[in-house]
Amino acid sequence: MYTFSNRLKIGSFIAMGLGVIFLAIGFLSAPSTVEEAKAIVAAHDDGHGGGHGQEAVSHGGDQGHGESAAHGAEASHDEGHDASHDEHLLHQLQNKPWAALYVAAFFFFMIALGVLAFYAIQRAAQAGWSPLLFRVMEGITSYLVPGGIVVFVILVLSVMHMNHMFVWMDADVVAHDELLQGKAGYLNPTFFLVRAAIFLGGWIFYREYSRKLSLAQDESDDDSNFIKNFRWSAGFLVFYLVTESMMSWDWIMSLDPHWFSTLFGWYVFASMFVSGITVIAMVTIYLKSKGYLEQVNNSHIHDLAKFMFGISIFWTYLWFAQFMLIWYANIPEEVTYYVARFQDFKLPFFAMLVMNFVFPLLVLMNSDYKRVNWFVIMAGIVVLAGHYLDIFNMVMPATVGDQWYIGLPEIGGILFFGGLFVYWVFNTLTKAPLQPKRNPFIEESRHFHY
């Protein structure tokens, strides 16, 4: 039985405490008036696209207002445009701590969700190499409960207009936007929360029921619980494939409600899948270094590292397929998504590509390196940082525009949810033996060598 070390527990609490403080500072520092917003921009203007008061593009993307109108009408129009722009700037700065909270909350939640998909695949495929890792996967997926609750609460607060992250939730915006009016049957607050509840309910139900069957199998004298788990896992994967795509549309893509991509669900899945597998590898290596999981060998670590490498390439393929088609077609409604990221997010955008593709390609291609634990840990840290930036790049341009920087709210979100994640996962690992007893494939997993 795994024993949760006091050092790790204390470290988790310290991280959560610092995270709360940093997030609180971020929320308290957010402006409440247009004048405060202008003062913050003036104090922090570091050259992101020039002076904000001179921007020609409003939130709706309209340019060149009133160039051929009479001077009086033009002046009146410009005043209205400036007022609209100032209000939009205020909303962006108010969104900053909310967006930082949301990025971190979703990032750690998606790790658990990615592990759940990997776990269900192993169950449905009746894989012989992985049963020794099932308890690790079950420990990580336990975070779905607190992580899912936090994300759902943020979504509820968004519907209650506590922030301005989802612009389609603003009735005034929809009233003046024909495109959003056409999507109102799907993008409406009530249906949005109902879908979120169905997604979370289905994912958490499968995790809890599969865990129950897994533990029951240890005490059973037949394979009935194993067979039930196999059937439920196969059925769950169908549910997961549909709901994960819809979740990515709702929780991420609808932040940019004028833009859409048919690849987006797969793209988000690849990011959460490789992040989840990376965390499985890192937790397994940590437990083994502490004297647990004695029967897990270098071949198991090698296979996890192969998945890290392979899914990183898969993620890159999806990223390039989505980007290349939009860039080549050059349709204004589509390219605006990447224009915003190229103009205002160059550093995180290109850093993400290096960390998620170039680095894993160079580091994990060699088969021998996949069996070196510290090498896998190093690669894992970079991969996780890269996919945090991936989520950052998905959320921030739509919510804060060019008012971004890595500050206390972003650091606080990582510390709080990282601490909560570590505490919840490792506390769950203490609840059951780390090695399954009666899995039909346990002997195959013990003797997994190549």
Side-chain angles (χ1 to χ4, degrees):
M1 187 82 75
Y2 169 69
T3 303
F4 196 177
S5 70
N6 288 330
R7 182 179 299 178
L8 193 59
K9 191 180 299 184
I10 293 172
S12 301
F13 287 134
I14 291 174
M16 284 189 282
L18 288 174
V20 169
I21 293 172
F22 290 172
L23 284 167
I25 292 173
F27 278 100
L28 293 174
S29 301
S32 57
T33 65
V34 169
E35 289 70 23
E36 290 180 9
K38 289 181 177 179
I40 291 175
V41 171
H44 293 90
D45 187 10
D46 55 0
H48 287 306
H52 299 288
Q54 300 175 1
E55 291 179 8
V57 182
S58 71
H59 185 57
D62 297 325
Q63 300 182 12
H65 293 290
E67 291 180 354
S68 62
H71 290 295
E74 182 178 350
S76 175
H77 183 82
D78 287 344
E79 288 176 3
H81 172 69
D82 288 343
S84 176
H85 175 268
D86 290 344
E87 183 180 6
H88 179 51
L89 176 64
L90 173 63
H91 289 170
Q92 287 181 329
L93 291 174
Q94 290 175 334
N95 279 342
K96 192 173 187 305
W98 282 101
L101 179 74
Y102 188 56
V103 169
F106 182 83
F107 173 70
F108 285 98
F109 172 78
M110 84 169 191
I111 290 174
L113 189 58
V115 173
L116 187 70
F118 189 72
Y119 175 78
I121 289 171
Q122 302 304 306
R123 288 282 187 184
Q126 298 190 358
W129 71 277
S130 55
L132 283 176
L133 305 175
F134 280 175
R135 291 289 185 266
V136 174
M137 298 183 206
E138 291 166 6
I140 297 170
T141 55
S142 68
Y143 182 76
L144 283 172
V145 175
I149 290 173
V150 170
V151 171
F152 188 76
V153 168
I154 295 174
L155 298 179
V156 171
L157 294 176
S158 298
V159 169
M160 295 171 63
H161 305 295
M162 299 296 290
N163 57 62
H164 306 278
M165 293 196 298
F166 297 87
V167 296
W168 58 266
M169 293 182 181
D170 189 333
D172 292 335
V173 173
V174 176
H176 297 87
D177 193 317
E178 292 184 5
L179 192 149
L180 293 185
Q181 292 170 15
K183 296 183 178 182
Y186 185 84
L187 288 182
N188 65 80
T190 301
F191 193 23
F192 177 79
L193 291 181
V194 169
R195 291 195 302 271
I198 293 173
F199 302 158
L200 290 169
W203 298 334
I204 292 173
F205 170 79
Y206 167 74
R207 188 272 161 190
E208 297 299 323
Y209 189 60
S210 181
R211 164 78 163 181
K212 178 182 176 181
L213 292 174
S214 179
L215 296 179
Q217 180 62 28
D218 283 358
E219 309 302 326
S220 177
D221 56 1
D222 58 28
D223 294 336
S224 59
N225 291 300
F226 174 82
I227 295 171
K228 286 180 183 178
N229 219 338
F230 158 72
R231 291 172 177 168
W232 274 96
S233 298
F236 168 76
L237 286 173
V238 178
F239 173 81
Y240 177 88
L241 287 172
V242 175
T243 54
E244 184 278 331
S245 289
M246 296 178 70
M247 175 274 291
S248 68
W249 306 336
D250 288 1
W251 299 359
I252 303 294
M253 194 164 67
S254 74
L255 294 168
D256 288 283
H258 284 198
W259 178 84
F260 67 92
S261 167
T262 54
L263 268 178
F264 198 76
W266 282 104
Y267 177 74
V268 174
F269 166 74
S271 189
M272 69 171 60
F273 202 50
V274 70
S275 299
I277 294 168
T278 298
V279 172
I280 295 172
M282 295 174 74
V283 172
T284 300
I285 291 171
Y286 172 80
L287 292 174
K288 193 164 176 60
S289 72
K290 297 301 180 182
Y292 303 97
L293 299 176
E294 299 93 339
Q295 294 180 326
V296 171
N297 56 54
N298 288 339
S299 294
H300 294 98
I301 304 301
H302 180 273
D303 266 23
L304 288 171
K306 280 200 299 187
F307 277 111
M308 289 169 58
F309 172 78
I311 305 303
S312 292
I313 303 303
F314 178 59
W315 174 89
T316 308
Y317 160 73
L318 292 173
W319 181 91
F320 180 74
Q322 180 174 264
F323 167 75
M324 184 271 292
L325 292 174
I326 291 175
W327 170 80
Y328 186 76
N330 200 28
I331 300 173
E333 291 84 353
E334 296 181 351
V335 297
T336 51
Y337 183 85
Y338 287 103
V339 167
R341 285 150 180 81
F342 281 174
Q343 288 182 346
D344 301 319
F345 287 79
K346 287 186 177 69
L347 179 59
F349 188 82
F350 291 106
M352 171 197 74
L353 287 178
V354 172
M355 298 166 78
N356 292 342
F357 170 56
V358 179
F359 187 84
L361 179 69
L362 297 178
V363 171
L364 293 176
M365 181 178 288
N366 188 299
S367 184
D368 293 336
Y369 292 164
K370 296 186 183 76
R371 296 175 181 267
V372 180
N373 288 348
W374 71 265
F375 219 83
V376 175
I377 292 290
M378 177 191 68
I381 292 172
V382 175
V383 167
L384 290 179
H387 284 283
Y388 171 83
L389 285 181
D390 191 15
I391 303 302
F392 186 91
N393 286 320
M394 294 182 201
V395 173
M396 288 294 178
T399 55
V400 305
D402 61 357
Q403 304 300 323
W404 74 273
Y405 56 89
I406 303 295
L408 288 181
E410 288 77 13
I411 297 172
I414 294 172
L415 288 174
F416 176 78
F417 289 106
L420 178 62
F421 181 87
V422 170
Y423 175 79
W424 202 275
V425 168
F426 283 91
N427 187 56
T428 302
L429 291 173
T430 67
K431 306 300 184 183
L434 290 180
Q435 180 175 305
K437 298 176 183 176
R438 286 210 66 260
N439 187 292
F441 295 100
I442 194 67
E443 288 302 317
E444 182 177 343
S445 186
R446 286 172 182 160
H447 297 95
F448 180 63
H449 292 281
Y450 62 91

